[in-house]
Amino acid sequence: MRHGEVANPDGVLYGRLPGYHLSELGRRMAERVAEHLSSRDIVHVAASPLERAQETATPIAKAHGLDLGSDARLIEAENVFQGRTFGVGDGALRRPENWKHLVNPFKPSWGEPYVDQVVRMTGALDAAKDAARGHEAVLVSHQLPIWTVRSYVERRRLWHDPRKRQCTLASLTTFTYRGDKIVSVGYSEPARDLVPAHLLAGAKPVKGGSKAFGA
């Protein structure tokens, strides 16, 4: 699961910075997904250590009477632009000091390599599979790591256009295992009606409001 909406009045790319919590709308998203999953056979819930992920996972764990785990492998991708604005129309791409970080979108040069994200995310998935073998587990993470590991499992290239990620706020990307092998990937948006239209997958970016490298 991707976390819900975050309170971010300054519009910064918050990345791994502490202190960014769910907004009121984000808490509603989390409750909606917890209700959606209430009848599922969930025996394990874990989340990225960042506040927004922990807060998103809490109502799911509570609904199933489970302790909430923390898995650092689920954390947001590292990004050199965290703490700064970096959106469409804000001039970031015209600043010479940023150019050195934008030379290789295939790695990417501005942050954690895609391959490293795949390694840690597949490790988190496998651990959850083992913890919930024969049942279901929920992991709460962040848009870019989720999309990257999904792309790897579905045998797509890892570099991509961030605007085309199918990983809306509070969405569920489901990996189904048979034994130790992933046999299918699913996607759903239980809180879609709560997501602002400009944040849905494929929506046109809002000037100054789009985070170019995920959240």
Side-chain angles (χ1 to χ4, degrees), residues 24-211:
E24 178 58 36
L25 178 59
R27 290 191 287 272
R28 288 172 56 200
M29 291 177 180
E31 293 288 349
R32 169 71 64 80
V33 178
E35 180 180 358
H36 174 77
L37 295 173
S38 61
S39 64
R40 306 295 300 190
D41 183 24
I42 295 167
V43 299
H44 177 75
V45 182
S48 155
L50 296 174
E51 292 98 333
R52 58 191 185 271
Q54 291 281 313
E55 291 165 0
T56 298
T58 295
I60 300 172
K62 183 177 179 181
H64 292 273
L66 300 171
D67 292 331
L68 174 58
S70 180
D71 189 334
R73 292 172 294 190
L74 298 170
I75 200 167
E76 174 64 292
E78 188 176 20
N79 193 309
V80 298
F81 296 111
Q82 75 173 23
R84 295 150 58 178
T85 59
F86 202 100
V88 175
D90 69 358
L93 296 177
R94 296 193 296 272
R95 299 171 193 155
E97 65 270 23
N98 290 339
W99 295 348
K100 64 183 178 181
H101 300 301
L102 301 172
V103 295
N104 185 0
F106 307 106
K107 186 178 179 179
S109 52
W110 54 79
E112 182 184 12
Y114 293 127
V115 171
D116 291 358
Q117 295 178 52
V118 168
V119 170
R120 62 179 173 85
M121 288 293 286
T122 54
L125 285 173
D126 285 345
K129 173 259 298 177
D130 291 338
R133 192 175 289 273
H135 305 276
E136 295 179 277
V138 175
L139 303 177
V140 179
S141 185
H142 308 267
Q143 186 191 60
L144 179 54
I146 295 170
W147 182 250
T148 300
V149 73
R150 177 180 172 183
S151 295
Y152 170 77
V153 170
E154 295 184 327
R155 301 182 182 278
R156 287 192 302 273
R157 68 190 185 203
L158 301 184
W159 59 274
H160 58 279
D161 182 342
R163 297 168 298 182
K164 296 182 179 180
R165 295 172 189 155
Q166 189 184 41
C167 192
T168 295
L169 289 167
S171 61
L172 297 171
T173 301
T174 304
F175 299 88
T176 301
Y177 284 80
R178 181 174 295 124
D180 293 327
K181 181 180 180 181
I182 296 174
V183 295
S184 68
V185 178
Y187 178 77
S188 62
E189 298 175 355
R192 181 180 176 86
D193 61 302
L194 298 177
V195 179
H198 70 281
L199 295 178
L200 292 170
K204 293 182 179 180
V206 176
K207 185 176 181 180
S210 175
K211 305 302 174 292

